[in-house]
Amino acid sequence: MEKFTNILVALDLSDIDNSVIKYASFLSETLKIHKVYFVHNIKKYEISSLFDEQMKDVNLDEIIGDELNEKVETHFNSKAEWEVLISEDPYTESLINYIANKYYIDLVVVGNKNRKKGTGIVSNKLLRLLKCDILSIPRDFHPEIKTIWAGTDFSRESRKIFNIAQMLQEATSAPVTAAHVYSVPVQFSPYVTIEAMAPKIEKHVREKGDKFLSKLDYQGEVTPLIIPGRDASVASNLLECAKKNKVDILIVADKGANNISSLLVGSVTEELFGKNPEVPLWISK
């Protein structure tokens, strides 16, 4: 079974910090995390030169450090050790990646803002840089895990997500569902109707899924769920169905069967990460 020891939590001084800290507290207690590093990057270059005079005697590191320490003390109730790290770097993603490597981080937790209200910490660049797992938390999401979904394409690459699913299931006793979205090949639609193809394709997908699950070394029960693809993408269909079923956490692999290079992130995962999902999204590396 997977064992997570150290996690990094990215903070940006916005209102989503409280949600991320509360979730990190819940996760730390649930998974018996040893240490949590809360990280904030001060981008001083974004402060206009017009305020140089006013800011020359201000110790931003100390002020922000005090504010974040107070936030963590208020919202972090886990018994895990924790530390606030403040840094100044023009590239937040590179800083997070550096700290993740330096402190042997197993999981990076980030807040997932609605991009209409701000970009937040989440970015596809961070997804590509990190070698460890990453967990995206929506604003105001209640920290609990009663339902676990593992989004899979039944590929060899997606097997690793079931290690995470088993770890979470053993810690929470939540049921695990292996969710797969299938699509009817549109190139055949001029010759064979979708209505005629769909039942055969679904049967084939179910048999493929059963075979895939039977070969997993999984200590527990996994329920397969086959989701018919509609006009939207695989990522959109998966998120829509997860939201409808009130899923508490969705786990996916960083790449799937169609990824042509080990250096690239899978297109479905990248789309999921960029869609601001309304459920926590755990991406397994």
Side-chain angles (χ1 to χ4, degrees), residues 38-217:
F38 294 95
V39 177
H40 175 71
N41 184 38
I42 304 173
K43 293 186 176 181
K44 286 190 175 179
Y45 70 88
E46 292 184 348
I47 300 174
S48 172
S49 58
L50 295 173
F51 300 101
D52 283 348
E53 185 66 26
Q54 291 92 330
M55 299 295 293
K56 68 178 182 179
D57 297 322
V58 176
N59 189 332
L60 274 181
D61 292 33
E62 183 178 341
I63 293 172
I64 291 174
D66 289 345
E67 180 180 344
L68 290 179
N69 273 282
E70 184 178 345
K71 270 190 177 185
V72 176
E73 287 174 355
T74 301
H75 300 292
F76 190 78
N77 301 314
S78 170
K79 297 174 184 176
E81 296 180 34
W82 60 270
E83 180 179 356
V84 171
L85 302 176
I86 306 293
S87 187
E88 300 172 21
D89 194 285
Y91 304 105
T92 298
E93 294 88 352
S94 298
L95 171 68
I96 292 174
N97 184 52
Y98 169 77
I99 296 174
N101 291 329
K102 180 178 180 180
Y103 292 103
Y104 302 99
I105 299 297
D106 301 301
L107 175 70
V108 169
V109 182
V110 298
N112 182 10
K113 287 184 177 180
N114 183 323
R115 291 186 179 178
K116 293 180 181 178
K117 298 180 181 179
T119 57
I121 282 288
V122 177
S123 76
N124 287 331
K125 182 180 179 182
L126 185 62
L127 179 60
R128 292 189 182 94
L129 280 175
L130 289 174
K131 296 178 182 178
C132 63
D133 289 12
I134 183 168
L135 174 61
S136 171
I137 305 298
R139 179 190 276 106
D140 299 326
F141 194 90
H142 182 63
E144 66 177 4
I145 298 179
K146 293 183 177 179
T147 52
I148 302 167
W149 274 25
T152 176
D153 60 0
F154 304 142
S155 66
R156 181 188 301 272
E157 291 79 4
S158 71
R159 288 183 180 180
K160 60 189 174 185
I161 66 176
F162 292 94
N163 295 328
I164 304 301
Q166 184 169 322
M167 174 184 69
L168 294 175
Q169 185 177 45
E170 291 186 3
T172 64
S173 299
V176 173
T177 297
H180 173 82
V181 179
Y182 77 90
S183 300
V184 177
V186 294
Q187 62 266 34
F188 298 120
S189 57
Y191 314 103
V192 183
T193 65
I194 292 178
E195 290 75 14
M197 285 191 292
K200 293 183 178 180
I201 293 176
E202 182 170 343
K203 180 182 178 183
H204 169 73
V205 170
R206 289 188 183 280
E207 291 173 349
K208 183 179 179 181
D210 290 342
K211 183 178 180 180
F212 172 82
L213 293 176
S214 68
K215 292 184 176 181
L216 288 178
D217 183 20

Side-chain angles (χ1 to χ4, degrees), residues 9-26:
V9 181
L11 303 177
D12 66 358
L13 293 179
S14 71
D15 59 346
I16 200 173
D17 283 355
N18 294 345
S19 299
V20 176
I21 294 170
K22 289 176 183 177
Y23 200 96
S25 178
F26 159 75

Side-chain angles (χ1 to χ4, degrees), residues 247-266:
V247 173
D248 289 319
I249 192 163
L250 172 62
I251 312 165
V252 295
D254 58 334
K255 56 183 74 73
N258 295 325
N259 196 53
I260 59 174
S261 169
S262 60
L263 300 177
L264 299 177
V265 174

